[in-house]
Amino acid sequence: MRFATRALRVGQDPDPKFRAVIPPLYQSATFAWEDLDHIPEIDYTRCSNPNRKILEQVIASLENGKHCVLYASGMASIGAAFALLKQGDHLLMANDIYGGTFRLAEQWLPRQGISTSYFCAHDPGSLADAVTPETKMVIFETPTNPNLRVSDIAALTKEAKKLGLIVVFDNTFASPALQNPLDLGVDIVVHSTTKYISGHSDVIGGAAVTNDDKLFEGLFEWNKAFGAVPSPFDCWLSLRGVKTLGCRMAAHCRNAQAVAEFLAGHPKVARVHYPGLIEHPDHQVAKRQMVGGFGGMLALELHSVEAARKVAEGTKVFLLAESLGGVESLIAYPPLMSHATMTEAQRLDRNIPPTMLRLSVGVEDAQDLIEDLEAALARV
Ligand SMILES: *Cc1c(COP(=O)(O)O)cnc(C)c1O
């Protein structure tokens, strides 16, 4: 079966008792044993649950992976990957990394005796210079947040594997509808399912997908031990969301391209960052790598901080809010939102100027989105 069909059919045969087309909500903490000789397949919801199991099968399938473990949030899935490290190990992170991952690595890993440092994901050769004898893992993401740079997943993974590292890739921004990093050699794909996979801004969740049996065991056992598990209802909601991932992503890509082209021609906009624009510095690698489209995220720079703040506060269809990947369009100001943990210097170091805004382009009518931005820009 192909992508769109798998999203609807994997693990989702009618339930055996009443032939319900939609998997019932198993809002049960525990499951009864027949007798002491037969351990039930699912016995306690911290370890597994039917709703969670179905969603794990679907997400594994959409990422072309063998195993999926679901978590209570995207951060818990990244925390589970980091928990594969032990005291004395070193973690390499791309400079452009999600703010929450940055916070976890900066504030918590050192307490566990795990050191971290950064490298440039745009230069796969820089990995060899950045490793130490203790380096065990590398984590990166593309397109990056918020400036939408695209790095070459296959090239970077090849370098990392030569150095014997576990490669963790955060595929939240693209979603499995656009790229499948496991096919490019990545060991563990993590997701904030809060974003495109669930797609409706109504649930927080995370996933880790891998083909490696041993890594899977570590990811699963961590969750069983720490209990950062999603509720059955959250899984039920996310399953409802993921069914339409393919057609939602197509609409996100179409609308983002239209919005990017409009902004690129606007005199009050200093710069637009969208991999679908020919003038984007990584357009060629994005074209090759993001086989399903260029995504729904874009960033723009205004000519002044004041102008950026005015546009952020001035749109009506785009809501001023954190997060991304939902059907509704959102506008965000990174210094006070996603990248508030960083100092101004750390942000500038990562090419996040205070004149930058980030858009998560939804699936509304593109013309309404353009008119909304046009009106906000006119008031600057
Ligand atoms: C939102 C996000 C996360 C964290 O996910 P939560 O579900 O909020 O915990 C991690 N990585 C990226 C790229 C994200 O956008």
Side-chain angles (χ1 to χ4, degrees):
M1 285 191 285
R2 290 155 185 87
F3 188 90
T5 318
R6 278 184 275 142
L8 285 150
R9 293 311 318 276
V10 167
Q12 299 170 69
D13 284 339
D15 97 274
K17 195 155 181 197
F18 295 109
R19 309 276 305 150
V21 166
I22 301 304
L25 173 61
Y26 290 87
Q27 191 69 38
S28 184
T30 187
F31 295 80
W33 296 40
E34 290 270 351
D35 56 53
L36 288 175
D37 294 322
H38 301 90
I39 303 174
E41 186 189 340
I42 292 173
D43 63 346
Y44 187 60
T45 286
R46 175 159 41 75
C47 306
S48 189
N49 173 278
N51 296 102
R52 188 165 127 203
K53 216 174 150 123
I54 295 165
L55 185 62
E56 283 172 345
Q57 285 170 11
V58 177
I59 294 175
S61 168
L62 298 184
E63 277 294 12
N64 297 335
K66 187 171 169 194
H67 306 287
C68 171
V69 185
L70 289 178
Y71 299 88
S73 68
M75 283 323 302
S77 70
I78 295 166
F82 289 172
L84 296 167
L85 298 169
K86 55 183 192 319
Q87 188 176 9
D89 287 348
H90 173 250
L91 167 74
L92 261 181
M93 304 199 292
N95 286 323
D96 291 330
I97 199 90
Y98 175 70
T101 309
F102 174 83
R103 182 194 300 123
L104 177 59
E106 291 281 318
Q107 295 181 2
W108 295 93
L109 293 186
R111 298 189 193 192
Q112 292 159 16
I114 297 162
S115 58
T116 60
S117 63
Y118 297 89
F119 76 103
C120 173
H122 280 91
D123 177 9
S126 72
L127 211 54
D129 298 329
V131 290
T132 72
E134 285 71 44
T135 312
K136 293 285 149 51
M137 181 180 280
V138 59
I139 183 165
F140 69 113
E141 58 195 59
T142 164
T144 59
N145 180 22
N147 37 33
L148 283 302
R149 291 300 304 267
V150 179
S151 55
D152 187 331
I153 302 171
L156 216 136
T157 301
K158 199 169 150 207
E159 285 302 311
K161 294 316 288 179
K162 271 195 231 159
L163 299 163
L165 308 181
I166 299 172
V167 181
V168 182
F169 183 85
D170 186 336
N171 201 23
T172 300
F173 260 46
S175 93
L178 306 188
Q179 62 191 20
N180 290 126
L182 293 179
D183 294 349
L184 305 175
V186 162
D187 295 306
I188 301 171
V189 166
V190 290
H191 275 287
S192 168
T193 58
T194 310
K195 316 293 169 51
Y196 288 107
I197 287 184
S198 296
H200 295 74
S201 309
D202 52 8
V203 58
I204 297 283
V209 192
T210 182
N211 283 317
D212 186 300
D213 296 342
K214 207 154 170 275
L215 292 176
F216 164 68
E217 200 182 301
L219 293 164
F220 175 78
E221 290 297 327
W222 181 86
N223 215 14
K224 195 164 141 185
F226 282 76
V229 297
S231 75
F233 184 53
D234 283 356
C235 295
W236 189 92
L237 274 176
S238 294
L239 181 69
R240 180 183 167 125
V242 78
K243 289 180 195 203
T244 54
L245 179 60
C247 50
R248 275 190 285 111
M249 275 321 287
H252 284 298
C253 293
R254 212 168 42 237
N255 281 359
Q257 185 77 37
V259 168
E261 284 169 13
F262 160 74
L263 291 172
H266 199 289
K268 288 185 182 169
V269 175
R271 247 182 114 179
V272 182
H273 304 262
Y274 184 66
L277 294 177
I278 298 164
E279 59 268 30
H280 186 281
D282 308 319
H283 179 66
Q284 287 309 324
V285 56
K287 214 162 128 180
R288 176 160 43 81
Q289 182 167 280
M290 302 178 77
V291 290
F294 298 107
M297 298 302 297
L298 66 86
L300 64 147
E301 289 174 42
L302 283 295
H303 290 295
S304 69
V305 175
E306 198 202 346
R309 293 183 67 110
K310 257 194 174 151
V311 172
E313 293 172 347
T315 54
K316 295 200 165 66
V317 181
F318 280 88
L319 300 173
L320 179 59
E322 300 249 26
S323 199
L324 61 114
V327 284
E328 56 284 303
S329 291
L330 303 178
I331 189 164
Y333 185 58
L336 294 180
M337 297 170 122
S338 55
H339 291 71
T341 308
M342 291 180 188
T343 63
E344 175 81 13
Q346 284 170 326
R347 282 192 295 268
L348 287 175
D349 207 39
R350 288 163 174 80
N351 299 311
I352 309 169
T355 49
M356 184 182 267
L357 297 173
R358 189 186 79 181
L359 302 182
S360 173
V361 181
V363 302
E364 302 90 342
D365 190 297
Q367 199 50 39
D368 285 326
L369 298 177
I370 288 169
E371 285 170 17
D372 189 39
L373 291 165
E374 197 166 29
L377 285 163
R379 287 190 288 269
V380 166

